[in-house]
Amino acid sequence: MTRNLVLVRHGQSEWNLKKLFTGWRDPGLTEIGIEEAQDVGKKLLALNLTFQFAFASKLIRTQHTLDLILREIGQSNLPRQLSEAINERDYGDLSGISKLEAKEKWGEEQVRLWRRSYDVAPPNGESLKDTVARVLPFYCTEILPRVMRGETTIVVAHGNSLRALCMALDGLTPENISQLEISTADLIIYNLNADTSVTSKKIFKSLKAIHDS
């Protein structure tokens, strides 16, 4: 039995472009973000991957990305579930302001701690630990059972909700999760064993990530 789980971060959003903390705010994709999503679809087409089910967050940037991907591979009518459980980390009082503004207001070290620590949350927001606490139960009850039944499943989510999933799948610790970077429109393909452990993992970097490297 093939047990494929495909993870995709949404394409570049308008606030990614402006370098604003986004969290649960709901900006749309940029033209680059649309191209990135279409490119993910082309990669999946080249890999001959089709899906039985899709998941996306309740935020428009993931849903639009999913729609563009499925259009490219001819599966626009694929059954899907949308859930707040895989929304981006809530950045609280940081939402809507730029990285530079945040550093000027709270100091560079404090902002770095909020962004990269595992269990320190920004004011009125979530830590990565908080995000893991809502993502993993959803993964275990909704996503994983489909994969284990042999349903090739795609999840389009966000940098931090996907980091939470990768933390579980790859056995990462709170100490080394801070090193994991997932760029917009990165494509990660897992194949799972019968015991839910990972057989293989392939990463396809986005056009933007390749261009920026």
Side-chain angles (χ1 to χ4, degrees):
M1 182 186 293
T2 302
R3 304 177 189 89
N4 286 325
L5 173 61
V6 175
L7 307 181
V8 181
R9 185 180 173 191
H10 62 81
Q12 184 193 66
S13 76
E14 294 162 357
W15 283 20
N16 292 141
L17 179 63
K18 296 176 181 177
K19 300 187 186 304
L20 305 180
F21 285 99
T22 309
W24 283 43
R25 303 290 180 86
D26 211 12
L29 298 181
T30 63
E31 288 301 316
I32 289 174
I34 291 170
E35 290 176 11
E36 287 181 322
Q38 292 169 334
D39 182 64
V40 171
K42 290 179 173 67
K43 288 172 182 171
L44 292 169
L45 201 58
L47 292 166
N48 200 31
L49 267 177
T50 56
F51 300 100
Q52 279 72 57
F53 203 82
F55 292 92
S57 80
K58 285 291 187 75
L59 300 170
I60 195 67
R61 55 193 184 274
T62 66
Q63 296 170 40
H64 192 187
T65 298
L66 177 62
D67 287 341
L68 291 165
I69 291 169
L70 295 181
R71 192 178 305 161
E72 286 291 328
I73 65 174
Q75 287 197 275
S76 292
N77 295 323
L78 186 72
R80 68 193 67 186
Q81 181 178 347
L82 308 178
S83 177
E84 287 184 352
I86 53 174
N87 272 17
E88 177 58 294
R89 174 186 172 188
D90 184 353
Y91 277 106
D93 292 355
L94 296 180
S95 301
I97 68 173
S98 70
K99 311 295 193 292
L100 180 60
E101 286 178 281
K103 289 175 183 177
E104 289 173 348
K105 183 172 182 178
W106 288 288
E108 185 170 352
E109 182 58 28
Q110 182 62 67
V111 174
R112 187 201 65 77
L113 188 64
W114 286 332
R115 292 186 69 195
R116 287 301 166 200
S117 69
Y118 180 66
D119 57 3
V120 179
N124 300 306
E126 293 179 309
S127 65
L128 180 57
K129 182 179 180 180
D130 296 327
T131 308
V132 169
R134 61 175 163 80
V135 170
L136 290 193
F138 184 79
Y139 170 68
C140 291
T141 60
E142 300 296 331
I143 300 172
L144 185 59
R146 290 187 177 277
V147 177
M148 299 311 293
R149 290 198 295 268
E151 298 179 23
T152 300
T153 301
I154 183 170
V155 179
V156 182
H158 306 266
N160 285 297
S161 51
L162 291 177
R163 287 171 74 214
L165 287 175
C166 290
M167 187 176 182
L169 286 158
D170 297 332
L172 300 179
T173 66
E175 289 72 35
N176 57 31
I177 187 63
S178 65
Q179 307 303 314
L180 178 62
E181 294 280 354
I182 303 176
S183 300
T184 54
D186 276 0
L187 167 64
I188 307 171
I189 301 174
Y190 286 95
N191 183 260
L192 303 187
N193 291 307
D195 65 357
T196 75
S197 63
V198 175
T199 306
S200 64
K201 176 185 180 182
K202 296 179 181 177
I203 302 173
F204 300 84
K205 299 302 290 182
S206 68
L207 292 174
K208 181 176 183 295
I210 293 169
H211 180 267
D212 290 346
S213 63

